[in-house]
Amino acid sequence: MANPTSWLYVDLNTISENIKTIKNYIGATRLLVVVKANAYGHGMYPVAACAVESGADYLGVSSLEEGIFLRKSGIKEPVLVFNTILPEQAEDALNYDLTVTVCSFDTVQALNDAAAKMNKKAFVHVKIDTGLGRFGVLPEHAVEMVHIITANFKNIYIEGIYTHFSLATNESITRKQFNIFLSIIKELEHQGYKIPLKHVCNSTAMLNYAEMHLDMVRVGNLVYGLCPSKNLKISNPSKIYSKIIFLKTLPKGHYVGYGNRFKTRRHTTVAIVPFGYYDGLELFISQPNGIWDSLKNLIKQILASFGVITANRTVKVNGIQCNILGKISMQSCIVDVTDIKDKVFIGDVVELSARRINLSHSIARVYHKADNIFLVDKAVSDEDEVNLSHGTGQRSETSIV
Ligand SMILES: *Cc1c(COP(=O)(O)O)cnc(C)c1O
């Protein structure tokens, strides 16, 4: 696929600069770069390799499968698996030298047995639930758990202890969670336990509360330019592109899209872009959030059926914002290019905005590093070179009436 019609362009230089900016900010604190969920859509292996090259001390993933994928791709650095694993996955965790999050004795027992068989130590991080209600032991059991693991499971090494905030933008909630964590650490230290990696911060907490950095921070969103940062110079490393594959002019009064949600009010030139909700665009023009939002959506829908464009759903065609009309299809959307129709051609590149994390695996990831543009997502293509020129050079205007 040397000529993809849709692709995510990822500038690895920018990711690297973001990581270096974060490292500079945290000083001696270690940095775990989160590459779960296909590196928030950017492609797990290229981002992980870039993170390691840029000085990440640790990588973080959600599932054991993701950790194994990193190992099979050749990543040698420490990898922490955030989700707890099933006892039957203990052997895999050890075979691939993955650090496991533990919060139950079933898993600890399975890891210990597997480690004893292999004559090695299982590295674990104990997780404490200080308020999220997800993984982790409740605070009142945390000290006891560390005690029991240390006393009874000789092939387990507690390398870390951590918690995860439920709403890092809220200072009082976050401080409450942090204080619970600190009191456990104090009690453990009082009892003589020394756990090298104590960590609590995600991106937002790292930015807002310097005193919570402790031994390591776990940063995802910020690496990808996905969270606001007043004090750090962080850039967006990626853009989503597609190409116009069909153009035509509809008469006034013609419906556009499934469900007849939109009706043209004038001669309307539409450009069809092969990118829909399967690829990662939101199905609805906007998701309602509460009753007022639903009401506003209803009004917008009624207006749309009279051809009034109220939704601010746009794509950039040759740098100019154009509206998406009607409902987004599974693998295409319909864009109004009436006002720029003389300057629009089949094959023209369109820039879309969508949540990168929701981007389909089938969309090519194209990486820019130094001066090379190359495609390394082997799941999509086995070619290294990619041609991103505007179309084939044989532009067709015949379909513009
Ligand atoms: C996803 C995740 C992070 C990263 O959070 P960001 O807000 O993206 O920085 C950190 N820790 C855990 C446990 C996570 O699951």
Side-chain angles (χ1 to χ4, degrees):
M1 207 196 328
N3 267 303
T5 39
S6 301
W7 66 98
L8 177 76
Y9 169 86
V10 182
D11 191 340
L12 290 173
N13 298 313
T14 304
I15 290 188
S16 180
E17 276 160 30
N18 288 349
I19 290 172
K20 286 173 185 162
T21 302
I22 294 164
K23 268 183 78 75
N24 200 34
Y25 176 66
I26 59 176
T29 297
R30 262 162 280 199
L31 175 63
L32 178 151
V33 171
V34 183
V35 294
K36 67 189 181 191
N38 201 25
Y40 291 49
H42 294 76
M44 183 141 59
Y45 174 69
V47 172
C50 170
V52 166
E53 234 174 71
S54 313
D57 303 289
Y58 232 110
L59 296 170
V61 292
S62 289
S63 67
L64 194 73
E65 288 88 336
E66 290 175 325
I68 292 170
F69 175 83
L70 285 178
R71 288 285 181 254
K72 284 186 171 168
S73 313
I75 297 286
K76 303 267 193 291
E77 280 63 24
V79 173
L80 174 62
V81 178
F82 296 143
N83 291 358
T84 188
I85 62 164
L86 293 167
E88 59 263 36
Q89 293 175 308
E91 236 169 82
D92 271 345
L94 278 150
N95 273 331
Y96 289 100
D97 284 319
L98 300 166
T99 309
V100 176
T101 296
V102 294
C103 39
S104 86
F105 286 113
D106 287 352
T107 307
V108 169
Q109 180 76 61
L111 281 166
N112 193 67
D113 293 348
K117 240 193 271 166
M118 294 179 204
N119 206 10
K120 59 201 239 186
K121 288 225 173 196
F123 277 50
V124 304
H125 287 210
V126 173
K127 188 159 198 184
I128 306 170
D129 179 3
T130 55
L132 184 63
R134 197 174 61 181
F135 300 113
V137 285
L138 291 174
E140 57 267 37
H141 305 307
V143 172
E144 192 194 356
M145 178 150 199
V146 171
H147 176 70
I148 293 173
I149 294 175
T150 312
N152 303 309
F153 297 95
K154 295 297 170 208
N155 288 75
I156 302 274
Y157 171 58
I158 304 179
E159 183 200 41
I161 186 161
Y162 74 112
T163 192
H164 192 39
F165 295 133
S166 57
L167 186 60
T169 47
N170 181 308
E171 182 165 350
S172 78
I173 290 174
T174 303
R175 285 205 183 285
K176 211 179 264 176
Q177 284 187 258
F178 184 59
N179 288 336
I180 293 170
F181 184 78
L182 273 195
S183 68
I184 291 162
I185 297 302
K186 258 202 200 120
E187 179 56 30
L188 286 171
E189 281 174 357
H190 177 72
Q191 296 190 16
Y193 294 107
K194 284 193 181 61
I195 302 177
L197 297 179
K198 299 169 282 295
H199 50 104
V200 298
C201 283
N202 67 346
S203 298
T204 304
M206 183 204 71
L207 286 168
N208 293 356
Y209 322 105
E211 73 280 17
M212 297 184 195
H213 290 180
L214 305 183
D215 302 306
M216 182 161 84
V217 293
R218 309 183 301 268
V219 183
N221 274 311
L222 200 62
V223 167
Y224 308 103
L226 290 169
C227 93
S229 58
K230 279 171 272 156
N231 38 5
L232 292 190
K233 201 192 152 289
I234 295 290
S235 311
N236 174 5
S238 61
K239 283 187 169 159
I240 302 165
Y241 294 106
S242 189
K243 288 177 177 178
I244 293 172
I245 56 170
F246 187 56
L247 279 163
K248 76 171 168 218
T249 296
L250 298 170
K252 182 182 167 186
H254 199 287
Y255 284 118
V256 177
Y258 284 117
N260 295 1
R261 300 271 189 99
F262 185 88
K263 197 180 201 177
T264 58
R265 278 203 304 173
R266 55 174 179 173
H267 265 69
T268 301
T269 302
V270 291
I272 313 302
V273 176
F275 200 101
Y277 63 83
Y278 167 73
D279 304 296
L281 273 186
E282 283 163 49
L283 175 57
F284 296 101
I285 281 169
S286 69
Q287 298 285 4
N289 179 11
I291 291 177
W292 175 234
D293 239 29
S294 305
L295 206 65
K296 275 201 295 196
N297 270 5
L298 189 68
I299 294 166
K300 279 181 189 174
Q301 268 183 36
I302 293 167
L303 287 171
S305 64
F306 291 107
V308 181
I309 299 162
T310 55
N312 48 359
R313 219 43 243 258
T314 61
V315 303
K316 267 191 201 164
V317 181
N318 299 327
I320 296 159
Q321 300 276 357
C322 296
N323 289 299
I324 294 177
L325 299 180
K327 207 167 153 181
I328 286 158
S329 305
M330 206 179 278
Q331 289 177 293
S332 60
C333 62
I334 305 162
V335 177
D336 184 356
V337 293
T338 311
D339 297 333
I340 53 167
K341 64 170 191 262
D342 297 336
K343 296 184 215 110
V344 178
F345 304 96
I346 282 177
D348 278 358
V349 174
V350 170
E351 189 190 328
L352 302 110
S353 53
R355 276 193 86 193
R356 281 166 258 167
I357 212 160
N358 290 345
L359 212 61
S360 163
H361 265 284
S362 62
I363 300 295
R365 269 69 171 172
V366 174
Y367 298 92
H368 180 224
K369 189 184 176 190
D371 291 327
N372 304 319
I373 289 183
F374 55 104
L375 192 135
V376 284
D377 195 336
K378 299 294 181 200
V380 175
S381 168
D382 49 14
E383 293 179 52
D384 291 332
E385 296 293 322
V386 62
N387 174 12
L388 302 175
S389 67
H390 285 214
T392 55
Q394 293 164 340
R395 292 173 170 182
S396 159
E397 294 174 56
T398 50
S399 49
I400 301 185
V401 178

